Amino acid sequence: MIEISIATPAREVLVDITQKVQSAVTASAPALTGMISVFVPHTTAGVTINEGADPSVAEDIAETLARLVPADAGYRHAEGNSDAHVKTSLVGNQVAVPVEQGRLRLGTWQSIYLAEFDGPRTRRIWLIPIPSIAGTSNQA
Amino acid sequence: MIEISIATPAREVLVDITQKVQSAVTASAPALTGMISVFVPHTTAGVTINEGADPSVAEDIAETLARLVPADAGYRHAEGNSDAHVKTSLVGNQVAVPVEQGRLRLGTWQSIYLAEFDGPRTRRIWLIPIPSIAGTSNQA
Amino acid sequence: MIEISIATPAREVLVDITQKVQSAVTASAPALTGMISVFVPHTTAGVTINEGADPSVAEDIAETLARLVPADAGYRHAEGNSDAHVKTSLVGNQVAVPVEQGRLRLGTWQSIYLAEFDGPRTRRIWLIPIPSIAGTSNQA
């Protein structure tokens, strides 16, 4: 398992971690062909893949989640961050990204985001390099 | 990595891709036991597993998402498809499906759906065959 | 593939399955280093990882989903459980959890939950043990 850490700058913000993930794969699994599982070991932050070209998309995602799951909606949990827990379960805390010969394979517009819902904090991310079966670099 | 492509017929629609995924596994990884990771390399379409028997379930999912995340809600992103980006992060763009001896193992009522939120388009899907450890076809 | 089963006590409830998953890994894949894929083969129940210390967090998640996706909202599907199908696609039905030497590696506050949306029922869960590449237990 490979661990990276990310300092998030605000309470609710998506932080592009694509280059950090790529650097960790290059350093620790440079010959990997398969996928890298990106796992967030927190309960008020998740991970999502979405557009990286226009930063307003990430803002729209954070703001829409804030509208759907307001911070103050009469929750049971007494710590004042129930919205962050709910958003984490909506977005998810794990995704597996294709890798070929140590290079992340993402779509043209895709970036990997840590989805912070209760920052600012320093967050850890765990990466698991998973090999695919040999001989499957073909197209159907 | 195996690539398949799907033409989607409408702006917001779930398209059953189960048979296409099975055919690609049969062609490229016929002896696979483990799982197939289904990864959508787009930012306005995702993947989800849900009921395949009654097509009204897929319609209910698309319509409920349209209610929760309306197309016109004062987004920042200027391309007019912010709702599609947000829905993609809610549904997710990757899922791993169990496979045994080259056959998808899904629950009785499950189908794999490409969740189109900004079609009609031709979408690509990337499949990564991942082996499990040997000798785990037992039940606990 | 390893199968476990869980009896859920209510229509909408998150049931902590962490210990059941750990027991199954211990019994069937005690030397595993990599991850365990947790796959729910149902269409009205999913799986999510969230806080396990304060049970009110799980209640907040179930109640917020019930507010966003009400049981009675004019759905097409005639079985009266469309809300459960929609919630399953929002939460997801699969997640991969890090494992080292047969032990689940979760964050301090994390538990794995079966997210029941149409119980009470007996639910099955399929576990797929996936090895990582050798020699990646380092930190970047």
Side-chain angles (χ1 to χ4, degrees), chain A residues 38-105:
Chain A
V38 180
F39 183 91
V40 178
H42 303 285
T43 58
T44 53
V47 61
T48 191
I49 293 176
N50 217 298
E51 179 172 325
D54 178 358
S56 65
V57 170
E59 295 167 7
D60 282 334
I61 293 169
E63 290 176 9
T64 303
L65 285 166
R67 175 177 62 74
L68 290 171
V69 187
D72 182 5
Y75 300 104
R76 296 170 181 268
H77 183 51
E79 294 183 9
N81 61 354
S82 281
D83 64 315
H85 287 290
V86 176
K87 292 170 185 172
T88 298
S89 280
L90 288 175
V91 162
N93 80 312
Q94 185 265 335
V95 69
V97 178
V99 176
E100 291 201 338
Q101 296 293 335
R103 301 296 303 172
L104 303 185
R105 281 288 306 268

Side-chain angles (χ1 to χ4, degrees), chain C residues 14-58:
Chain C
L14 272 63
V15 180
D16 190 331
I17 60 172
T18 313
Q19 290 312 312
K20 282 222 169 193
V21 175
Q22 178 62 70
S23 296
V25 171
T26 300
S28 298
L32 176 67
T33 291
M35 59 191 202
I36 187 87
S37 177
V38 180
F39 183 91
V40 178
H42 304 285
T43 58
T44 53
V47 60
T48 192
I49 293 175
N50 217 298
E51 178 170 327
D54 177 0
S56 66
V57 170

